[in-house]
Amino acid sequence: MVGVSRKEFRDLAAPEAAHEAIAGLDLTPETERVPLRESRGRVLAERIDAEMDVPGFDRASMDGYAVRARDTFGADEASPAELELIGEVHAGVEPDVVVGEGEAAEISTGAVMPDGADAVVIVERTEERDGTLVVRDAVAPGDSVMLAGADVAAGARALGPGTYLTPREIGLLSALGVDEVPVRGKPTVGIISTGDELVRPGDPLNSDAGQIYDVNSYTIATGVEEAGGEVRMYPHAGDDYEEMERILVQAAEECDLVLSSGSTSASAVDVIYRVIEERGELLLHGVAVKPGKPMLVGTLGGERGAKSENKGDTAATDSPSAYVGLPGYPVSALTIFQTFVAPAIRRAAGLPNPQTATVSGSMAVRERYAEGRLRLMPVGLLENESGETLVYPVDKGSGATTSLVEADGVVEVHPDTEYLADGESVEVRLFSPDVRAPTLLGVGEDDPALSRLLDRLDSPRYLPVGSREGLRRLRDGVPDVAVVAGPTERTVESVDIGGWTREWGLIVPAGNPDDVSGLSDLVARDLRFVNRDTNAGLRASLDAALDELAAERDTSKRELTARIDGFELTTKATESPARAVLRGKADAGLGLRATANELDMGFIRVGDESVRVHANPDRTEKPSVEAITALLSDADDVFDELSGYNR
Amino acid sequence: MVGVSRKEFRDLAAPEAAHEAIAGLDLTPETERVPLRESRGRVLAERIDAEMDVPGFDRASMDGYAVRARDTFGADEASPAELELIGEVHAGVEPDVVVGEGEAAEISTGAVMPDGADAVVIVERTEERDGTLVVRDAVAPGDSVMLAGADVAAGARALGPGTYLTPREIGLLSALGVDEVPVRGKPTVGIISTGDELVRPGDPLNSDAGQIYDVNSYTIATGVEEAGGEVRMYPHAGDDYEEMERILVQAAEECDLVLSSGSTSASAVDVIYRVIEERGELLLHGVAVKPGKPMLVGTLGGERGAKSENKGDTAATDSPSAYVGLPGYPVSALTIFQTFVAPAIRRAAGLPNPQTATVSGSMAVRERYAEGRLRLMPVGLLENESGETLVYPVDKGSGATTSLVEADGVVEVHPDTEYLADGESVEVRLFSPDVRAPTLLGVGEDDPALSRLLDRLDSPRYLPVGSREGLRRLRDGVPDVAVVAGPTERTVESVDIGGWTREWGLIVPAGNPDDVSGLSDLVARDLRFVNRDTNAGLRASLDAALDELAAERDTSKRELTARIDGFELTTKATESPARAVLRGKADAGLGLRATANELDMGFIRVGDESVRVHANPDRTEKPSVEAITALLSDADDVFDELSGYNR
């Protein structure tokens, strides 16, 4: 049932209204029965009372003799009782004796008490003498006997509805002989990826036609599973109304909730909007959070019987399916999903909020805000030397997929917050309960030796922002280390914990077809060049070499660079210029000998540059910083296997 | 490879030696490749570098016009540049224009930059006039363009080995077009249940022959899965050497680790011991922890090729399988498993220790110890009014399966600890990372109305220890509430938060075949009776009624009870006497009208007894106590639907 009435959409809805609208949607699946063996992580749909006694029989709890207690009354060392031995009873075997007055039967732990007997005399207090048992102790009825039902009694409440099943509950249910349990169903969530430009991972990609891989479908699908939902993926929908309508209606018939995600394209969003208006009910369009403006909430479908037919054991129903449209940018989509949708899925599945869903930490930097709407600010986590959690903002709204793994979660910043102070305590809602703070946060130059060193650390995070930006961040005090290549003017308080040198120069096609011999050829000849960005240490080395060349020629560097075709064509990563050359986009690229070797290309050496690892002076004793310091002096093999590297 | 040498077993091994022995066993599975879509919760086996640029093309990041930046140099409001419009480019479509000198093409966000163009002029800074574009702003190369590889550059390190895959990493891998990932394999763990008396849940149970359901197999199997292992269940093995050998050797061939568990039978343990000695290597027998004395650690099998054939893609190997034998009692088995085995499985699977595996709390009571060996003390958790975690000991060594759900985890108490003080801080290793402290801890009388009330609370824990024991525990200050039925002499400081009355008496077979009319028949006639234990409020009511009867007859209660056959035959739960009557074990049982009604039996009323809920005076404002207080005054339907109930 939909408990939220139709609304006007002129203004963005308040975030609370979005929570309410989603809470008002019916996602609740039917109860199902699953084998006990497969019930871990499920939630009991109803109370389970014991249907049998555990143990199911009066059970000897010691090795000894089954007797009638009355026959031992008054027995002691001085005047033992004497009983006639009539047989024995072993565990797992039905007793073939009945203990009468004046009789006893040998019994082992776990065995069924024979009829007539009501107590066990432990073996240490007896003696056997010619078929007669001498008992030196009086016992009371029930002594050394675990009565039927003493562990769990038939009729007793064993587990309540809503119990989350872990191994121990499964153990108790095993003891009760339960082999199938009634559990809350998992809400079925349909995922529709939209946008003409999206291609599913693994399918061939036509970059020339502007295709990109679909990031949101798998991100959200696995997020749904993490929240306890069951996913159905629908074929990719383009921007065509008929096709979109067909897929959305089918998904609504088959699912409790339909999520669309993927496209940033205005036309795809517009098409969905029209389908929801036509075939369902739009409850919310746009929420006053950043990100979240393009969020849609509504219902879809609702033809009687249609849903039940396709959902298997679901009873016939004419209730519509819930619909939420997520933003297109991956970080935004995951943020909105985790904030608004995942809690509703968990509720429907009967699952508690995971304990690890939020962590507290203090801001590692000051962050200004004051934007007038609720901001769900993506943040990264790290630990300081004392193991306290620090929080820093990550994404400034870009659609970069790398922000997905650079951010660990989201801090809610209220519309009237002007800034978050350095050191201010904040709550971070993690992107996943399984997210961990990295042990090391490194920033700076992108380098093949560094990649190999990082492989040997336990869950490091490295942001290849370039040497210059890395130093800037280190100065702000956030990262543990900055890796800085080439000449640098900036001085930042830090501790040099080691480094290496690497050979740099121009990378050209194999065999050097244009016969490039050095930087002067770039200036003098009609060669297409690919540069690195100004944050790169390699770029700093190139600039320094060009300064030198200009000085030699008594001209300005600007004069020289104006004559290099592609000097402004900058790329972000170490291998990128080489790969541009490989693709025929350029004749020469800035790069490392190691890269040229790796890609079987030609290389013209210009010089060596040093790469130094600078540690945050407050973090030199942090275990991960100590670990990378040790690696820098020990990992000879890493430097040996890369050409042009030295320490 | 087994890195621990053979040892002598005369003495119990130190717990550290057990950890070392298990750490020395080789459980590590081979790397496998899984579809990206199914990779959540897995661990990357190797570094993944980007094999392509993301985006894979230079991409317009705004709506506008693709131009050659040089053509706009110097343009401003006063002297706009004029360019010839030569076409348009849309997202997801290959451009069919080349932008030459003095030319521009309309372009939409996400579209491929056409050849020739190196910047986008945003639409707001332009005007179209008769096929001519008027540009009012100069742009630099790269303005409003996301260059190929600006998000992720080909060759860049994307994710390191050991990365735990959550939705966000799956998102990044999607962007890179990865559809299959190399992950650490799951160690295969074989589970063998032993003991002639054990029956798998769901199979028919012959209680007369002393059979009980196998608790440990499913408990440990789901514990293995929780730790990241893959389970193989083997057929139940009896105490026969040949059969045990056959099953153990088969399991060793097919698994990385073999666990046996289940039996408390000395002969089954002895048989396993002999098989390990014969077909493997015994490394440890008995560990100085309580529980854990019967623990075995060793290796099993190791014929060349045998393991590889059965493990599918595992390379040929002659390394033996690891073997650990767990104790028989369920709580002991789970404790030893979680302490010694689960960490080894997680390590082999490459999984981090779960953050929620331990919690800190303070002891709610003083606990004496000083037993001279490490004790793994099962404890329960609860919260006080301020939300602080309290810890109380649960199991004193019994084999009760109910302790499985009454205990939340284990506190390690060192051999030289004399006692844990009330309020002392302790670390609890949870039985499962998903274990939660219950919101309410109740103790006392077992009652059908109470069961229904508990169903309406969020994860309560109720221990049906009886009224008398419940009051004792409330006096010790541990539980939140105690439910007390019948007359009681003890006074405990508490707050009465509500209650009800219930009709009690004798339950007899339907139709009352023996024509029982009241308590005096039990005394006067040859009727077999089933009583409740002395902790039960029902028993207190019966004792009071018999006192009255004795006073009437001017005799002692003892005199009367001596004449009741079965007065000492006590049972633990409300329904147990009635069920004994149903089974023909007795002619009358102590019980409630509601129980007789439920089971369609006869009932002879003796009286009404009051049931009161007493709250711990320190916890009346705890939310769960407030919730049950509200239920006690509101849940009329619960009391209305049970016969003999009143408020």
Side-chain angles (χ1 to χ4, degrees):
Chain A
M1 293 300 303
V2 176
V4 176
S5 58
R6 197 172 173 115
K7 291 185 177 169
E8 292 291 317
F9 306 109
R10 298 220 181 91
D11 302 310
L12 294 179
E16 297 71 33
H19 278 296
E20 271 168 37
I22 292 174
L25 299 171
D26 176 21
L27 315 183
T28 309
E30 299 289 304
T31 293
E32 43 181 292
R33 299 187 69 83
V34 297
L36 180 65
R37 179 70 186 81
E38 293 157 23
S39 65
R40 187 175 66 88
R42 303 302 294 269
V43 173
L44 277 188
E46 50 197 65
R47 182 178 73 227
I48 295 193
D49 290 339
E51 290 186 0
M52 51 175 276
D53 282 329
V54 179
F57 51 93
D58 296 343
R59 188 173 187 242
S61 55
M62 299 292 278
D63 290 342
Y65 296 87
V67 300
R68 296 178 167 227
R70 289 181 184 205
D71 290 346
T72 70
F73 287 175
D76 59 18
E77 286 288 341
S79 54
E82 296 201 353
L83 303 174
E84 185 190 351
L85 260 177
I86 56 159
E88 45 191 65
V89 192
H90 294 292
V93 179
E94 186 163 358
D96 56 2
V97 294
V98 175
V99 176
E101 215 170 293
E103 294 176 341
E106 194 181 338
I107 196 162
S108 48
T109 306
V112 181
M113 287 293 287
D115 277 348
D118 59 8
V120 170
V121 187
I122 62 171
V123 67
E124 292 80 359
R125 302 300 301 150
T126 63
E127 192 183 327
E128 264 188 56
R129 202 187 284 159
D130 306 329
T132 297
L133 182 73
V134 179
V135 176
R136 302 185 194 288
D137 240 352
V139 288
D143 276 6
S144 299
V145 176
M146 190 183 204
L147 289 178
D151 189 356
V152 190
R157 183 181 197 271
L159 294 171
T163 302
Y164 184 81
L165 298 175
T166 73
R168 61 197 191 134
E169 285 84 11
I170 291 168
L172 177 62
L173 294 171
S174 295
L176 298 174
V178 171
D179 67 337
E180 210 185 54
V181 282
V183 296
R184 300 281 292 257
K186 296 180 171 198
T188 308
V189 181
I191 293 183
I192 296 175
S193 131
T194 64
D196 283 331
E197 76 281 21
L198 297 183
V199 172
R200 198 149 282 186
D203 287 350
L205 190 77
N206 182 358
S207 286
D208 294 338
Q211 292 182 336
I212 55 176
Y213 282 116
D214 176 8
V215 173
N216 288 342
S217 289
Y218 283 6
T219 309
I220 300 304
T222 47
V224 165
E225 287 165 350
E226 196 173 67
E230 188 143 314
V231 171
R232 289 201 186 200
M233 303 285 273
Y234 288 88
H236 172 267
D239 298 357
D240 175 65
Y241 183 91
E242 303 287 317
E243 186 192 8
M244 184 75 85
E245 182 183 41
R246 189 181 53 75
I247 293 175
L248 280 171
V249 168
Q250 184 196 343
E253 282 170 1
E254 295 171 350
C255 302
D256 298 304
L257 168 66
V258 178
L259 297 175
S260 72
S261 97
S263 187
T264 50
S265 129
S267 62
V269 172
D270 187 57
V271 166
I272 291 178
Y273 183 99
R274 286 193 291 131
V275 175
I276 303 294
E277 287 256 287
E278 191 68 31
R279 302 297 302 261
E281 188 176 12
L282 194 62
L283 299 171
L284 271 184
H285 185 196
V287 180
V289 296
K290 182 188 174 188
K293 208 171 146 185
M295 185 177 171
L296 296 175
V297 179
T299 64
L300 192 57
E303 284 80 2
R304 176 174 297 275
K307 195 168 173 181
S308 63
E309 252 174 68
N310 291 281
K311 284 182 71 183
D313 54 2
T314 302
T317 168
D318 60 353
S319 72
S321 183
Y323 168 80
V324 178
L326 301 170
Y329 282 148
V331 174
S332 303
L334 187 57
T335 297
I336 293 297
F337 173 78
Q338 293 291 18
T339 305
F340 294 96
V341 184
I345 294 174
R346 278 197 292 268
R347 255 194 324 269
L351 292 170
N353 257 319
Q355 281 175 306
T356 50
T358 58
V359 296
S360 319
S362 43
M363 293 294 293
V365 287
R366 183 187 151 104
E367 172 75 0
R368 280 191 299 174
Y369 183 56
E371 293 191 25
R373 62 180 163 125
L374 181 71
R375 179 175 169 206
L376 302 171
M377 176 176 76
V379 296
L381 301 178
L382 83 157
E383 287 187 352
N384 68 13
E385 213 168 77
S386 333
E388 288 153 358
T389 300
L390 301 178
V391 177
Y392 59 95
V394 166
D395 184 285
K396 308 276 177 176
S398 90
T401 48
T402 41
S403 316
L404 266 180
V405 290
E406 287 171 15
D408 296 305
V410 161
V411 170
E412 284 201 8
V413 188
H414 285 275
D416 50 356
T417 302
E418 284 192 17
Y419 63 92
L420 295 170
D422 187 355
E424 183 163 344
S425 175
V426 290
E427 279 287 305
V428 181
R429 192 173 48 248
L430 299 178
F431 278 144
S432 155
D434 293 321
V435 162
R436 304 280 179 118
T439 55
L440 178 86
L441 179 63
V443 296
E445 192 74 6
D446 163 23
D447 179 276
L450 180 67
S451 281
R452 288 164 171 79
L453 294 178
L454 291 170
D455 287 352
R456 303 188 184 186
L457 294 173
D458 178 28
S459 59
R461 168 174 291 155
Y462 190 78
L463 311 181
V465 295
S467 295
R468 197 167 73 165
E469 173 68 6
L471 269 181
R472 193 191 66 71
R473 295 198 186 187
L474 186 64
R475 191 194 56 204
D476 287 349
V478 176
D480 297 317
V481 297
V483 179
V484 180
T488 166
E489 284 164 28
R490 200 189 285 268
T491 54
V492 170
E493 200 197 333
S494 64
V495 178
D496 185 322
I497 58 170
W500 58 89
T501 64
R502 56 186 195 177
E503 220 174 319
W504 71 276
L506 300 177
I507 301 182
V508 294
N512 193 2
D514 293 312
D515 206 17
V516 178
S517 63
L519 292 183
S520 46
D521 284 347
L522 294 184
V523 178
R525 294 170 51 191
D526 186 18
L527 295 167
R528 291 167 304 161
F529 177 64
V530 183
N531 207 343
R532 288 293 313 280
D533 62 282
T534 54
N535 277 315
L538 272 173
R539 170 65 176 268
S541 290
L542 174 66
D543 286 345
L546 288 169
D547 274 332
E548 213 169 289
L549 189 65
E552 271 171 28
R553 299 189 180 181
D554 206 15
T555 177
S556 71
K557 189 181 94 180
R558 175 178 296 260
E559 176 64 29
L560 296 182
T561 61
R563 285 151 60 194
I564 300 177
D565 180 15
F567 189 80
E568 304 88 355
L569 191 59
T570 62
T571 55
K572 203 190 124 191
T574 302
E575 285 189 12
S576 305
R579 287 179 181 260
V581 172
L582 262 188
R583 285 197 308 270
K585 296 264 179 183
D587 305 308
L590 179 60
L592 301 175
R593 177 183 289 282
T595 302
N597 244 45
E598 175 76 21
L599 300 175
D600 290 323
M601 301 178 71
F603 179 75
I604 298 98
R605 178 180 188 279
V606 177
D608 277 337
E609 69 176 5
S610 84
V611 183
R612 304 304 303 173
V613 182
H614 297 265
N616 185 323
D618 296 335
R619 311 258 178 82
T620 52
E621 284 169 32
K622 188 172 162 176
S624 61
V625 176
E626 289 181 337
I628 197 169
T629 307
L631 273 179
L632 285 167
S633 71
D634 297 341
D636 294 306
D637 57 324
V638 164
F639 302 100
D640 290 348
E641 79 183 13
L642 287 164
S643 45
Y645 273 70
N646 272 300
R647 277 197 298 163
Chain B
M1 294 301 300
V2 176
V4 176
S5 59
R6 197 174 173 114
K7 290 185 180 171
E8 292 291 317
F9 306 111
R10 297 219 183 90
D11 302 311
L12 295 178
E16 297 72 31
H19 279 296
E20 272 168 36
I22 292 174
L25 299 170
D26 176 21
L27 314 184
T28 310
E30 300 287 303
T31 294
E32 43 181 292
R33 298 187 69 85
V34 297
L36 179 65
R37 178 69 185 82
E38 293 157 23
S39 66
R40 186 174 67 89
R42 303 303 293 268
V43 173
L44 276 189
E46 52 197 62
R47 183 177 74 225
I48 295 192
D49 291 340
E51 290 187 0
M52 51 174 277
D53 283 330
V54 179
F57 51 92
D58 297 344
R59 186 170 187 246
S61 55
M62 299 292 278
D63 289 342
Y65 296 88
V67 300
R68 297 180 166 226
R70 288 180 185 206
D71 291 346
T72 70
F73 287 175
D76 58 17
E77 286 288 343
S79 55
E82 296 201 352
L83 302 174
E84 185 191 350
L85 260 177
I86 56 160
E88 46 191 65
V89 193
H90 293 292
V93 179
E94 186 162 359
D96 55 1
V97 294
V98 174
V99 176
E101 212 170 303
E103 294 177 343
E106 193 180 339
I107 195 162
S108 47
T109 307
V112 180
M113 288 292 288
D115 277 349
D118 59 8
V120 169
V121 187
I122 62 171
V123 68
E124 291 80 1
R125 302 301 300 152
T126 63
E127 193 182 328
E128 264 191 55
R129 201 186 287 157
D130 307 330
T132 296
L133 182 73
V134 179
V135 177
R136 304 186 192 287
D137 238 352
V139 288
D143 277 3
S144 299
V145 177
M146 190 184 205
L147 288 177
D151 189 353
V152 190
R157 184 180 196 272
L159 293 171
T163 302
Y164 184 82
L165 299 175
T166 73
R168 62 199 190 132
E169 285 83 12
I170 292 169
L172 177 61
L173 294 170
S174 295
L176 298 174
V178 170
D179 67 337
E180 208 184 56
V181 281
V183 295
R184 299 280 292 257
K186 296 181 173 198
T188 308
V189 181
I191 292 183
I192 296 175
S193 129
T194 65
D196 284 331
E197 76 281 20
L198 297 182
V199 171
R200 199 149 281 185
D203 288 349
L205 189 76
N206 182 358
S207 286
D208 293 337
Q211 293 183 335
I212 55 176
Y213 282 116
D214 176 8
V215 173
N216 287 343
S217 289
Y218 284 6
T219 309
I220 300 304
T222 47
V224 165
E225 286 165 352
E226 196 173 68
E230 189 143 311
V231 170
R232 290 201 185 196
M233 303 285 272
Y234 287 89
H236 173 267
D239 298 356
D240 174 65
Y241 183 91
E242 305 286 316
E243 187 194 7
M244 185 76 85
E245 182 183 40
R246 191 183 52 73
I247 294 175
L248 280 170
V249 168
Q250 186 197 342
E253 283 170 0
E254 296 171 351
C255 302
D256 298 304
L257 168 66
V258 178
L259 298 175
S260 73
S261 97
S263 188
T264 50
S265 128
S267 63
V269 172
D270 186 57
V271 165
I272 291 177
Y273 183 99
R274 287 193 291 132
V275 175
I276 303 294
E277 286 256 289
E278 191 68 33
R279 303 298 302 261
E281 188 175 13
L282 193 63
L283 299 171
L284 271 184
H285 184 196
V287 180
V289 297
K290 182 187 173 186
K293 209 171 144 189
M295 185 178 172
L296 295 175
V297 180
T299 64
L300 193 56
E303 285 79 3
R304 176 172 297 276
K307 193 168 172 180
S308 62
E309 255 174 63
N310 291 279
K311 287 182 69 182
D313 55 1
T314 303
T317 168
D318 60 353
S319 72
S321 181
Y323 167 80
V324 178
L326 301 170
Y329 282 148
V331 173
S332 303
L334 187 56
T335 298
I336 293 295
F337 173 78
Q338 293 291 19
T339 306
F340 294 96
V341 184
I345 295 173
R346 278 196 293 268
R347 253 191 327 266
L351 293 169
N353 257 319
Q355 281 174 306
T356 50
T358 57
V359 297
S360 320
S362 43
M363 292 294 293
V365 285
R366 181 179 203 262
E367 172 75 358
R368 280 190 299 173
Y369 182 56
E371 293 189 28
R373 65 184 162 122
L374 182 71
R375 180 174 168 204
L376 302 170
M377 177 176 76
V379 296
L381 302 178
L382 83 157
E383 287 187 352
N384 69 11
E385 211 168 80
S386 335
E388 288 153 359
T389 300
L390 301 179
V391 177
Y392 59 97
V394 165
D395 184 286
K396 308 276 177 172
S398 92
T401 48
T402 40
S403 316
L404 268 179
V405 290
E406 288 171 14
D408 296 306
V410 161
V411 170
E412 285 201 8
V413 188
H414 285 275
D416 51 354
T417 303
E418 284 191 19
Y419 64 91
L420 294 170
D422 187 356
E424 183 164 344
S425 174
V426 290
E427 279 286 305
V428 181
R429 192 174 49 250
L430 298 178
F431 278 145
S432 156
D434 293 321
V435 162
R436 305 284 178 113
T439 54
L440 178 85
L441 179 63
V443 295
E445 193 74 5
D446 164 23
D447 179 278
L450 179 66
S451 282
R452 289 164 171 76
L453 294 177
L454 290 170
D455 287 354
R456 303 188 183 185
L457 294 172
D458 179 27
S459 58
R461 168 174 292 155
Y462 189 77
L463 311 181
V465 295
S467 294
R468 197 167 70 165
E469 173 68 8
L471 270 181
R472 193 191 66 72
R473 296 198 186 188
L474 186 64
R475 190 195 55 204
D476 287 349
V478 176
D480 297 318
V481 298
V483 179
V484 179
T488 167
E489 282 161 31
R490 200 188 285 269
T491 54
V492 169
E493 200 196 334
S494 64
V495 178
D496 185 321
I497 56 171
W500 58 90
T501 63
R502 57 186 194 178
E503 220 174 320
W504 71 276
L506 300 178
I507 301 183
V508 294
N512 193 3
D514 294 312
D515 206 17
V516 177
S517 64
L519 291 184
S520 46
D521 284 344
L522 293 184
V523 177
R525 293 170 52 191
D526 187 19
L527 295 167
R528 289 167 306 159
F529 177 65
V530 183
N531 207 344
R532 288 292 313 280
D533 63 280
T534 54
N535 277 315
L538 271 174
R539 171 64 175 267
S541 292
L542 173 66
D543 286 344
L546 288 170
D547 273 332
E548 214 169 290
L549 189 64
E552 272 171 29
R553 299 190 180 180
D554 205 15
T555 178
S556 70
K557 189 180 96 183
R558 177 178 297 259
E559 175 66 27
L560 295 181
T561 60
R563 284 152 59 193
I564 300 177
D565 180 15
F567 189 81
E568 303 88 355
L569 192 60
T570 62
T571 54
K572 206 188 124 192
T574 302
E575 286 189 12
S576 305
R579 287 179 182 259
V581 171
L582 263 188
R583 285 197 309 270
K585 296 262 179 185
D587 305 308
L590 179 61
L592 302 175
R593 177 183 291 280
T595 302
N597 242 48
E598 175 76 21
L599 301 175
D600 290 323
M601 299 178 72
F603 180 75
I604 298 98
R605 180 181 190 279
V606 177
D608 276 337
E609 68 176 5
S610 86
V611 183
R612 305 304 303 175
V613 182
H614 298 264
N616 185 324
D618 297 335
R619 312 259 177 81
T620 52
E621 283 170 31
K622 189 173 159 173
S624 61
V625 176
E626 289 180 336
I628 196 169
T629 307
L631 273 180
L632 284 167
S633 71
D634 298 342
D636 293 308
D637 57 325
V638 164
F639 301 101
D640 289 348
E641 79 184 13
L642 286 164
S643 45
Y645 273 70
N646 272 298
R647 277 197 298 166

